Amino acid sequence: MKNTMIKYLFTVLLLIVGLCPNANGQAYKSLEKAKSSKELNDSTSIIYGLFIQRLGFTSGGFPQEIRLQNIVTQTVYTFNVKATMKSSKENTFCYYIKPGMYKILSYYWTQSKWYGGVMHEESIFKDIDTSTKDYQKAIKKGEVDMNKLSSYYIEIRPKSVYYLGTWHFNTGLVSFSDEKISLDEKLKKKFSDIDFENAITTLPE
C-alpha cells in the first residue's frame, strides 16, 4: 500500500513537471483535440494519424507527447500521442493546429519504475537514433555537429485536414508510413463530423 502511494505521488509530480516551461523559459502550447471540420478557417487546420509508441504495456499510466516547433515563430506545440493511464501500443491522434511550417522537435515519454518513472525527451532527426547511450556520450563530448543533422518537416495550409501517416516511434530510429484507408475507416466511427475522405496526405519529410 505504501509503495503504491509513493508511486502515485511520483506520477502526479511528473505530470506537473511536464506542464512546466522548457529550459529556455518558453512555455509549450498544447494542441486542442479536433472534433469537427466546421471549425476549419484561415487560422485553423486539422492533423491526424496513428502513433506507435516506444514502450507498450510497460509505459504504465504516463502520457507521451510529440513536440512540434513552428520554424517561423519558434513557438513549440505539444500534443498527446498516448493518454494518461492508457498503455495501448498504437494510439490515434487528431488535433487542431495553426497553418505553418513545422519541424518535429522531440518525443517526450516516461518509463515506468517502481518508484514512479524516468522522463525522457529525445530529439528527432532523420536516420539518427538519439536514444542510444553512444549518441548521448557523443553529445556530451561535443562530437555531434548539430548543423549536419536533418529534421522532419510538416507543412500545414489553412482550412485543411491533413493525414500525417503512421508514426513508427517504437524504435529510436523513427519512420512514417501511409495507411490512410484503414485508419480513416476506424476514425469515421469516432469523428463523424471530420472529413477524412478528402484529407491531404502529408508524411513528415
Side-chain angles (χ1 to χ4, degrees), residues 135-174:
Y135 176 84
Q136 299 302 324
K137 289 179 181 178
I139 285 289
K140 291 180 180 180
K141 292 180 180 179
E143 298 174 349
V144 178
D145 185 350
M146 303 302 290
N147 293 321
K148 293 184 178 180
L149 300 182
S150 300
S151 297
Y152 284 98
Y153 291 91
I154 307 166
E155 183 179 8
I156 304 297
R157 296 185 179 182
K159 296 192 292 187
S160 302
V161 179
Y162 281 87
Y163 167 68
L164 301 186
T166 295
W167 293 33
H168 301 272
F169 277 58
N170 48 312
T171 65
L173 196 61
V174 307

Side-chain angles (χ1 to χ4, degrees), residues 3 5-6 11 34 45 62 79 85 135 142 144 153-154 161 163 179:
N3 287 339
M5 180 58 69
I6 292 174
T11 301
S45 290
F62 299 105
F79 62 95
M85 305 312 293
Y135 176 84
V144 178
Y153 291 91
I154 307 166
V161 179
Y163 167 68
E179 300 172 24

Side-chain angles (χ1 to χ4, degrees), residues 71-133:
I71 65 173
V72 175
T73 66
Q74 300 300 303
T75 303
V76 177
Y77 296 90
T78 181
F79 62 95
N80 277 4
V81 288
K82 187 185 84 70
T84 305
M85 305 312 293
K86 300 292 184 180
S87 59
S88 298
K89 185 72 173 177
E90 299 183 0
N91 299 273
T92 59
F93 61 87
C94 188
Y95 291 91
Y96 294 118
I97 191 170
K98 293 183 178 181
M101 178 68 78
Y102 295 86
K103 71 175 179 180
I104 301 177
L105 194 64
S106 60
Y107 173 37
Y108 179 88
W109 55 280
T110 303
Q111 187 172 17
S112 182
K113 299 290 185 179
W114 69 267
Y115 51 80
V118 177
M119 294 179 291
H120 301 267
E121 183 168 11
E122 298 175 8
S123 298
I124 301 301
F125 299 105
K126 294 180 180 178
D127 305 317
I128 296 292
D129 184 349
T130 63
S131 68
T132 66
K133 292 182 179 180

Side-chain angles (χ1 to χ4, degrees), residues 19 29 33 43 46 58 63 74 80 117 149 153 170-171 186 199:
L19 298 176
K29 293 187 176 181
K33 290 184 177 181
S43 61
I46 291 175
T58 62
Q74 300 300 303
N80 277 4
L149 300 182
Y153 291 91
N170 48 312
T171 65
K186 180 179 180 180

